[in-house]
Amino acid sequence: MTVIDVIELLDRFQTSIVGVIGFFGVIWTLRANSKHDREAHERQLATKRQTLRRILAAEFRNYARALKQNLDGPTPDSEFISIGRVRRLLSDSLSSDLGLLNLDEVDIIVNAIISLDGMNHFLANHAGEISETRFLIPATMWSEVKYCLATTKDALDLATKALALTGEV
């Protein structure tokens, strides 16, 4: 086959050759755009995970600090103990996003949330009076209340430590 034959062959199949090259160009562009979109989506998910971890850790630290103050305070000498009610603000509204976290983190965080809710129910069941923001518990229940507060604080501390293990908190 001579050079003239090759040129004649290229001239004859020029449209087909351009079509094949164009088709591969389109495929390459689609793959490049898909990769870019996938990387952008992964960055968005990583940012959401990091934000979720930080919010949960901050909320759990605040609850644990409040429980520690109750536990470290003097033994009550009055007829009633006043303990603040837990109002889960952020963790309640973010519960649908927990699936973004690792399974181990979800397990520990859900345990902390269950502990908080369980503590609220325990205190409500044993309260002599309940207001919008506080429980008034009979002082005779102090040892049981102290145990409930301590176990809830431990669950919150564990959740905070688990969230910190990722290095994003």
Side-chain angles (χ1 to χ4, degrees):
M1 188 172 247
T2 65
V3 173
I4 294 175
D5 292 338
V6 171
I7 292 175
E8 211 175 275
L9 190 63
L10 287 175
D11 186 44
R12 224 167 118 195
F13 293 104
Q14 178 181 4
T15 306
S16 299
I17 293 169
V18 168
V20 168
I21 292 172
F23 177 75
F24 283 114
V26 168
I27 296 297
W28 181 80
T29 301
L30 288 173
R31 289 192 67 201
N33 287 343
S34 173
K35 180 182 178 200
H36 178 268
D37 290 345
R38 188 174 46 253
E39 289 170 351
H41 181 69
E42 287 172 5
R43 280 192 305 272
Q44 287 174 340
L45 284 177
T47 300
K48 281 184 178 182
R49 278 187 199 102
Q50 183 180 20
T51 303
L52 180 61
R53 285 181 179 118
R54 287 182 178 182
I55 289 170
L56 290 170
E59 188 171 16
F60 291 164
R61 273 192 304 268
N62 285 332
Y63 294 144
R65 191 176 304 119
L67 292 174
K68 183 175 179 351
Q69 285 176 347
N70 283 329
L71 290 167
D72 291 347
T75 304
D77 56 357
S78 63
E79 191 177 336
F80 288 99
I81 309 162
S82 177
I83 298 176
R85 292 178 75 161
V86 173
R87 298 267 187 217
R88 289 189 310 112
L89 302 173
L90 301 173
S91 59
D92 195 32
S93 63
L94 296 173
S95 59
S96 62
D97 293 333
L98 291 179
L100 294 172
L101 302 175
N102 299 331
L103 291 178
D104 293 335
E105 289 174 315
V106 171
D107 184 40
I108 292 169
I109 288 166
V110 168
N111 183 47
I113 290 171
I114 289 170
S115 294
L116 276 173
D117 290 343
M119 180 192 72
N120 257 357
H121 289 294
F122 174 84
L123 294 174
N125 288 335
H126 293 86
E129 288 185 42
I130 300 174
S131 72
E132 288 283 325
T133 58
R134 307 208 62 76
F135 295 109
L136 289 177
I137 311 287
T140 56
M141 295 286 302
W142 178 239
S143 61
E144 291 89 349
V145 168
K146 193 172 182 177
Y147 177 77
C148 179
L149 298 179
T151 56
T152 303
K153 181 189 171 305
D154 290 345
L156 294 171
D157 287 340
L158 182 63
T160 304
K161 286 177 187 173
L163 290 167
L165 287 176
T166 63
E168 297 177 355
V169 177

